[in-house]
Amino acid sequence: MRFAEIWASLLPLGRDPAAGGYRRYSFTDADTACRNWFTTRATERGLRTETDRNANLWAWWDPPTPRPGFPGRGVGDAGGFLTAVVTGSHLDSVPDGGAFDGALGVVSGFAAIDLLREREFAPGRPVAVAAFGEEEGARFGIACLGSRLLTGAISAAEARDLRDADGVSLGAAMTSAGLDPAGLGPDENLLASIGAFVELHIEQGSALDGLGEPVAIAQGIWPHGRWRLDFAGHADHAGTTRLPDRRDPMLPYAATVLAARQAAAEHGALATFGKVIAEPGGTNAISSAVHAWLDARAPDETSLMRVVSQVEDAARRAAADHRVEVSLRQESVTPPVTFDPALRARIARTLADRGITAPELPTAAGHDAGVLAARLPAAMLFVRNPSGVSHSPAEHASIADCEAGVQALAAVIEELAAR
Ligand code: GLV
Ligand code: MN
Ligand code: MN
């Protein structure tokens, strides 16, 4: 099946017709539709499907003559390891996300397998397409939750305590989607069975467009994280409360947003407040509380922590000025990632041998490959996104560039999974 055909079969799922964006939140009906889509695409290819302990999906293309595998340090190491070559990405989305973020990597995984089979390639080791759960953290707040659980970067107990905006626990949400939360937690056997993970993703920037190439190799990921700030004030009447009498949490929140922008600019970093909840949310009432989430990213950990501490200081000062209480809590931090240099070099050589020029690019976007990189050789391919827009319905890559991505991914799988 051609890329465009597989792509078209996923496109309608979880799309909000009014906004034009995707609302594929974990363990909702839209997510279940995406999971069923994954299983159908795998089954029609004769791939063995599996849902792991952490609700991540796997579609396995087993080698024709299976031999007992044993854990290895990576594909291509001496000893003929039979560890698997895994590709894939995620199917969940941010609120009103684009069609490509995550989905492109999963569709490209299936399309690459189709292409390799058309060429009668027989893998010498298992090949899999994976779809990791709750990558965006849009429902439960922790990005890359599925891969973090798999690798032990977050404990099962911590994950079980997570609640969505309506107070529904992760466990309850999984159960209502027909998934079993009992086994949540690290899966050392599954990890040991993977020799390399190569995630294909739409570029979330426009560097490739500037370079005139359709495909890049990721160099690494900036350290980044999420912090929750709670401002507690005093609810009162918007028309009758004198300005000096107010304890309005919206004011220190507003000052904190401006301070975050300033701190980011000072440190060559990025800081965003993209989610804020004002309680109780009446137009004619002073808020009793404001809950806000800071997303911060920087080229190095020192700059990241400086940005966060400047934001925290500004929040405390502004809160004191307005007689408001404030607390700040770290929700998640991902350390800097440098993708496996040997795997990157091997991918670059493989692509160059096929006449594909793939520049290396760093990114400030988070990915499951970045989480897995702490435990196994991981790498990423990026596909050109001319406008650079992502996390928005305007995100776009041309079908021709997506097909170039599939060609590159197929070449990489062929190289890594050769007999
Ligand atoms: C994921 O897309 C992230 O970078 O937040
Ligand atoms: Mn994303
Ligand atoms: Mn993504």
Side-chain angles (χ1 to χ4, degrees):
M1 209 188 273
R2 292 268 155 240
F3 169 85
E5 208 178 317
I6 313 173
W7 183 245
S9 69
L10 179 60
L11 222 43
L13 308 184
R15 184 171 180 272
D16 182 77
Y22 288 85
R23 297 178 181 177
R24 292 173 178 161
Y25 307 136
S26 307
F27 316 124
T28 61
D29 289 350
D31 185 59
T32 300
C34 289
R35 288 172 175 275
N36 291 341
W37 171 90
F38 182 97
T39 306
T40 304
R41 297 289 81 80
T43 308
E44 70 193 7
R45 286 169 173 74
L47 305 176
R48 184 168 50 82
T49 59
E50 183 189 354
T51 304
D52 71 18
R53 306 162 46 158
N54 299 300
N56 305 309
L57 295 167
W58 301 78
W60 292 98
W61 180 15
D62 294 314
T65 47
R67 287 176 287 162
F70 57 90
R73 285 170 298 141
V75 168
D77 286 348
F81 297 140
L82 282 174
T83 50
V85 176
V86 180
T87 187
S89 188
H90 61 97
L91 293 171
D92 66 315
S93 79
V94 296
D96 290 337
F100 295 80
D101 182 350
L104 181 63
V106 180
V107 170
S108 299
F110 287 126
I113 287 179
D114 289 355
L115 191 60
L116 290 170
R117 283 174 163 175
E118 244 172 67
R119 294 181 190 156
E120 297 184 4
F121 170 73
R125 59 179 72 243
V127 172
V129 181
F132 292 97
E134 183 75 349
E135 192 272 351
E136 301 287 8
R139 182 163 182 192
F140 290 101
I142 306 285
C144 299
L145 185 59
S147 53
R148 277 184 210 276
L149 276 162
L150 167 63
T151 56
I154 183 172
S155 72
E158 203 183 326
R160 278 202 195 90
D161 275 352
L162 295 171
R163 297 199 174 257
D164 71 6
D166 297 322
V168 178
S169 71
L170 178 72
M174 286 178 71
T175 305
S176 70
L179 294 155
D180 182 5
L184 285 177
D187 191 335
E188 293 301 330
N189 287 339
L190 180 54
L191 282 173
S193 74
I194 305 170
F197 178 63
V198 182
E199 178 172 359
L200 179 146
H201 204 281
I202 188 166
E203 188 196 351
Q204 295 169 297
S206 58
L208 269 175
D209 195 51
L211 295 166
E213 299 293 345
V215 176
I217 299 169
Q219 184 272 329
I221 302 180
W222 279 17
H224 57 281
R226 297 179 181 192
W227 290 262
R228 175 180 167 139
L229 289 94
D230 295 291
F231 298 89
H234 183 71
D236 213 330
H237 196 291
T240 59
T241 317
R242 293 180 335 125
L243 294 181
D245 294 339
R246 296 180 181 214
R247 292 174 51 211
D248 183 352
M250 195 58 84
L251 297 171
Y253 163 65
T256 306
V257 175
L258 298 176
R261 167 75 185 220
Q262 176 70 30
E266 270 172 40
H267 296 284
L270 299 160
T272 308
F273 280 94
K275 179 175 168 183
V276 57
I277 299 170
E279 289 188 33
T283 306
N284 54 354
I286 296 160
S287 300
S288 58
V290 170
H291 312 290
W293 283 262
L294 168 70
D295 175 307
R297 309 177 188 225
D300 57 82
E301 281 173 301
T302 307
S303 305
L304 180 65
M305 289 312 157
R306 285 197 177 129
V307 168
V308 176
S309 82
Q310 271 178 241
V311 173
E312 181 171 11
D313 289 350
R316 293 200 188 287
R317 273 196 309 273
D321 288 349
H322 295 281
R323 298 179 298 128
V324 164
E325 305 293 322
V326 65
S327 63
L328 178 143
R329 183 162 58 83
Q330 179 180 299
E331 287 198 332
S332 64
V333 166
T334 306
V337 173
T338 302
F339 287 114
D340 189 83
L343 183 57
R344 265 158 51 206
R346 195 163 164 197
I347 290 172
R349 266 197 317 275
T350 302
L351 298 184
D353 285 351
R354 285 163 175 79
I356 302 170
T357 309
E360 279 213 339
L361 297 177
T363 182
H367 299 285
D368 293 304
V371 174
L372 293 171
R375 297 297 308 276
L376 50 91
M380 291 189 76
L381 296 174
F382 290 142
V383 170
R384 174 164 53 192
N385 171 358
S387 72
V389 174
S390 189
H391 286 185
S392 147
E395 178 186 78
H396 187 72
S398 71
I399 290 288
D401 284 355
C402 293
E403 282 169 349
V406 172
Q407 292 285 348
L409 182 61
V412 169
I413 296 172
E414 189 172 13
E415 161 70 14
L416 299 179
R419 291 184 155 266

